[in-house]
Amino acid sequence: MVYFEKDSVYQSAREWVLAAGEIIRSTIDDPREVDTKKNANDLVTEMDRKVEAYFAEKIRTTYPDHLILSEEGFGDQVDDLKGTVWIIDPIDGTMNFVHQKRTFAISLAIFHQGIGEIGFIYDVMADIIYEVKKGEGAYKNGQKLAPLTDKKNLSESILMLNHLWCTPNDQVNHLKLGELVRTVRGARSYGSAALEFAYLSEGIVDAYISFHLQPWDYAAGVILYEEVGGQIVQATGEPLTYLKQEPTVAGHPNIVNQIIEDYIELK
């Protein structure tokens, strides 16, 4: 069995997240090397790779029996969540990073024997860190986040939609989603899934839909949000696997099932 000393791993991870944030901040105005991946809007920079390499080196040196599931090629082949698995997005919101130099985050989650134990979402430019140890509360810059309120109506909710929901190749009924947008109080998109889960956890928005999230986009956010009582499932209603791209619905438990049953129609 892989040894897992939760407090020690937590402290190491927190130190590395903050240090990686300083690396990014100190060079935010430097010229960028910007490449594309799957399409012209799927951006990656030399900083994404540099930060991921930094985490990979730290983890493999300190915890050689741990595995890494990550976005930019420095991870391992991860087929299950046995043992200890670090799930990392070095810059979540790369388009924001490139174009706006803000509203992006480092997202880091640590799973042990299939359970999300530790999560960090670090809004680098705002210097705001969201952090969680399962069962010990979720925090924003040291202030404990309050549990979600007992009741929430869909008509009084603010919904976040990943901007890619409207692409023509989605296997989803867009008319139904349009009805949902007209039903809720307002709709938002921030361009960083990690920060969107952080905002859910603060209770300043109430639901989130994306059909394109990878495990590194949502893993830390799920641990954070579940700690305050939020619910996150696949758009089919099934549990997340954390191993592949999955259409995701997150929100206050009062409204998640309503959104899936009334407004999500996968083709």
Side-chain angles (χ1 to χ4, degrees):
M1 179 179 291
V2 175
Y3 177 69
F4 183 75
E5 207 293 300
K6 188 173 178 179
D7 289 341
S8 175
V9 173
Y10 176 89
Q11 291 300 328
S12 295
R14 191 180 196 277
E15 176 184 327
W16 299 338
V17 166
L18 293 174
E22 180 56 32
I23 292 170
I24 296 171
R25 269 195 309 274
S26 66
T27 60
I28 190 67
D29 292 320
D30 288 0
R32 295 266 80 89
E33 297 174 17
V34 183
D35 298 318
T36 59
K37 293 187 282 189
K38 293 180 181 179
N39 59 64
N41 295 321
D42 189 5
L43 305 183
V44 60
T45 72
E46 88 293 344
M47 185 58 72
D48 294 80
R49 298 186 180 105
K50 179 178 181 179
V51 172
E52 186 169 306
Y54 168 82
F55 281 118
E57 189 276 330
K58 291 291 187 181
I59 294 163
R60 291 190 174 117
T61 300
T62 310
Y63 306 107
D65 54 352
H66 294 189
L67 295 176
I68 302 169
L69 176 60
S70 56
E71 184 170 16
E72 308 303 347
F74 294 89
D76 302 296
Q77 179 63 43
V78 177
D79 299 315
D80 58 50
L81 295 177
K82 295 178 181 177
T84 302
V85 180
W86 298 57
I87 304 180
I88 303 168
D89 193 339
I91 298 179
D92 184 76
T94 300
M95 189 177 294
N96 289 351
F97 171 68
V98 171
H99 287 272
Q100 302 170 1
K101 301 182 181 180
R102 60 182 181 271
T103 321
F104 61 87
I106 296 169
S107 177
L108 186 151
I110 304 173
F111 281 69
H112 182 66
Q113 305 297 12
I115 297 172
E117 294 284 0
I118 295 168
F120 294 95
I121 297 171
Y122 186 32
D123 184 336
V124 173
M125 301 312 293
D127 193 23
I128 296 173
I129 188 166
Y130 301 85
E131 51 196 312
V132 57
K133 279 191 283 186
K134 183 176 176 62
E136 300 183 31
Y139 292 82
K140 174 188 177 183
N141 277 4
Q143 294 293 314
K144 191 171 185 178
L145 298 178
L148 299 184
T149 57
D150 292 337
K151 295 182 179 180
K152 176 60 65 172
N153 296 321
L154 190 59
S155 62
E156 298 175 347
S157 298
I158 296 179
L159 169 71
M160 294 180 295
L161 286 166
N162 185 292
H163 71 286
L164 294 175
W165 78 278
C166 58
T167 56
N169 62 345
D170 274 343
Q171 300 301 306
V172 63
N173 187 328
H174 293 250
L175 294 178
K176 286 284 189 180
L177 285 178
E179 290 178 19
L180 175 59
V181 170
R182 290 189 292 273
T183 299
V184 297
R185 178 164 284 172
R188 303 286 186 270
S189 183
Y190 296 97
S192 165
L195 288 177
E196 286 164 332
F197 274 103
Y199 301 156
L200 281 172
S201 301
E202 283 192 74
I204 58 177
V205 288
D206 307 295
Y208 180 44
I209 297 173
S210 178
F211 296 95
H212 300 270
L213 295 185
Q214 297 283 358
W216 43 79
D217 297 315
Y218 62 73
V222 169
I223 302 169
L224 188 80
Y225 193 38
E226 287 184 340
E227 189 70 12
V228 298
Q231 182 179 0
I232 309 97
V233 293
Q234 294 188 53
T236 58
E238 298 172 288
L240 297 170
T241 70
Y242 302 94
L243 296 173
K244 64 183 189 303
Q245 185 183 79
E246 294 170 322
T248 305
V249 178
H252 193 289
N254 281 5
I255 61 176
V256 168
N257 288 340
Q258 182 182 356
I259 290 172
I260 292 174
E261 292 173 5
D262 296 346
Y263 299 102
I264 304 295
E265 184 178 306
L266 302 177
K267 299 177 182 178

